Amino acid sequence: MKRSIQGIVGIASILFLLASTACAATKTEPNQVSSSPAASNQTTKVATDKQRVVKSSKGDVNIPAEPKKVIGLSVVYPEFLYALGVTPIAVQNYHSEFPSYLKEPFKHTVKTGLAQTPNFEAILATEPDLIIAPTWWSDKDYEQLSKIAPTVLLPQRDNWRDELKDIGEVLGKKTLAEKVIQDLQNKEADAKEKLHALVGNETVMYMMIMAKELVVYGENIDRGSFIHKELGLKPVKDFPQSEQSVSISLEKIPDFNPDHIILQLDDDSSDEVQKRYKALLESSLWKNMTAVKNNHVYIMGGKEWFSLGMSPLADSNAVDDVLRAFNKNAK
């Protein structure tokens, strides 16, 4: 699930505040439960009244029993939080605007940008009472983050469903996490039946236009699995089954020649992506493909499908997009 990130955000402006926080802290690390007997008794009482103790990659952490101002670091953690009924107060954002399914609920959510080092100053300004992040994303920043608010680092997972369950466990919403997963499975199963009625065994190729390349996704990668397994759309016959995705030239696209093409623009606002998209549309090779001649090409935006295969919200939104596109084509 990791995506490339660039830029370094400075933290000099909050060193004084962090130093002050550190001075006021006890000798026990801010987020950790003390191992001394007396402190353990006190911690148990506090945990019962206003706090809970949860497990993290850094050990047990005291968090508010009912956190009100939560931040989920990494691009997809905010989506997990919202799926569990928690609107984050701040997010790290890849795009300048939120996808449509988050635009309204996140209208008051602070965007802190995306960088190798988080914008600690912006995070501090929101006064969070809980920070949740995956270890692979925030392990290097744990010390600074834990001085701002109780910080829970969770293990890296290969499947977003396990990530959602981890966060549900932290928030005391494990049952809700299971329901979110089951509801999406039901929605996908229903969509799978409808799509089979619309296209049967006709082949579908899922392709993305990126700034530097054209990529075709197979069944063995998150987003490709969503299209071909969860929704049951038949992949092209000649796609190499050992590959998750393949980068192809314009000249090679006709070799697949699918009945339908789901075409995603990686970044709608990118000049490079738009230039490559225009070249594709003007190509005689493209125009002579079966899907193109039959008007079976469905355009999907990069911002809307950015988290596809990595988030229940993104997947649910994509189900609607695919059904809408194929239904429209059938009329």
Side-chain angles (χ1 to χ4, degrees):
M1 292 189 182
K2 301 179 184 178
R3 283 179 173 262
S4 298
I5 54 178
Q6 298 179 344
I8 301 296
V9 180
I11 62 169
S13 58
I14 62 164
L15 287 178
F16 176 76
L17 288 174
L18 294 181
S20 298
T21 304
C23 289
T26 66
K27 292 182 180 180
T28 302
E29 190 173 349
N31 282 344
Q32 304 303 312
V33 179
S34 174
S35 59
S36 67
S40 296
N41 293 334
Q42 184 178 5
T43 298
T44 302
K45 182 179 184 302
V46 171
T48 302
D49 295 339
K50 295 183 179 180
Q51 292 189 313
R52 293 190 299 114
V53 178
V54 299
K55 296 184 181 301
S56 82
S57 296
K58 295 292 185 180
D60 290 348
V61 180
N62 272 328
I63 70 168
E66 297 182 4
K68 304 298 183 185
K69 302 172 72 175
V70 184
I71 293 178
L73 297 181
S74 91
V75 177
V76 293
Y77 265 42
E79 298 201 21
F80 294 142
L81 288 174
Y82 188 65
L84 295 173
V86 177
T87 302
I89 59 168
V91 300
Q92 290 181 288
N93 54 299
Y94 182 85
H95 297 96
S96 59
E97 298 296 330
F98 293 122
S100 59
Y101 56 88
L102 291 177
K103 194 168 185 178
E104 177 62 24
F106 282 16
K107 62 184 178 182
H108 299 305
T109 298
V110 176
K111 300 186 183 97
T112 66
L114 190 69
Q116 290 179 345
T117 300
N119 187 335
F120 295 111
E121 185 175 8
I123 292 172
L124 181 66
T126 63
E127 299 181 342
D129 53 20
L130 177 62
I131 299 171
I132 307 176
T135 300
W136 70 265
W137 185 277
S138 298
D139 184 69
K140 61 181 174 46
D141 305 309
Y142 178 75
E143 184 177 349
Q144 291 94 323
L145 291 170
S146 63
K147 291 176 181 177
I148 297 173
T151 300
V152 177
L153 296 190
L154 298 174
Q156 180 179 343
R157 301 291 194 182
D158 293 329
N159 191 306
W160 66 257
R161 294 159 186 83
D162 294 321
E163 291 185 290
L164 186 70
K165 291 176 186 177
D166 288 344
I167 295 176
E169 191 75 43
V170 171
L171 297 174
K173 294 175 177 282
K174 186 177 180 180
T175 301
L176 179 56
E178 296 284 359
K179 183 178 185 302
V180 169
I181 293 169
Q182 186 60 56
D183 286 349
L184 179 61
Q185 287 178 344
N186 295 340
K187 183 174 183 176
E188 290 171 340
D190 181 62
K192 189 174 185 177
E193 289 185 12
K194 292 176 180 177
L195 289 168
H196 183 72
L198 290 170
V199 301
N201 289 320
E202 295 177 357
T203 57
V204 177
M205 182 170 74
Y206 173 26
M207 185 173 76
M208 185 184 293
I209 301 177
M210 307 184 78
K212 304 299 182 183
E213 59 185 344
L214 301 174
V215 178
V216 177
Y217 293 102
E219 302 174 71
N220 300 320
I221 193 170
D222 295 324
R223 55 182 59 246
S225 175
F226 169 81
I227 295 295
H228 298 301
K229 292 182 179 178
E230 274 69 43
L231 297 187
L233 295 170
K234 185 177 180 180
V236 291
K237 181 178 63 175
D238 296 326
F239 187 89
Q241 293 303 306
S242 61
E243 300 294 332
Q244 293 186 334
S245 63
V246 292
S247 177
I248 61 174
S249 64
L250 178 57
E251 290 72 24
K252 290 292 183 181
I253 295 177
D255 292 349
F256 293 120
N257 199 28
D259 298 305
H260 302 265
I261 297 174
I262 294 175
L263 184 63
Q264 180 184 350
L265 275 62
D266 180 48
D267 185 347
D268 313 64
S269 62
S270 165
D271 291 339
E272 292 86 353
V273 170
Q274 289 295 334
K275 183 178 179 180
R276 190 173 290 274
Y277 178 43
K278 182 179 179 182
L280 180 73
L281 295 181
E282 293 175 349
S283 168
S284 60
L285 294 171
W286 175 259
K287 292 177 181 178
N288 286 323
M289 291 181 65
T290 299
V292 178
K293 289 192 290 187
N294 292 334
N295 195 31
H296 289 172
V297 179
Y298 318 107
I299 308 299
M300 303 298 172
K303 181 176 71 218
E304 303 303 317
W305 279 36
F306 181 76
S307 297
L308 180 65
M310 299 183 289
S311 154
L313 300 182
D315 286 8
S316 179
N317 177 74
V319 169
D320 296 336
D321 286 345
V322 172
L323 281 175
R324 189 181 304 114
F326 279 82
N327 270 311
K328 183 178 180 181
N329 182 269
K331 294 179 180 179

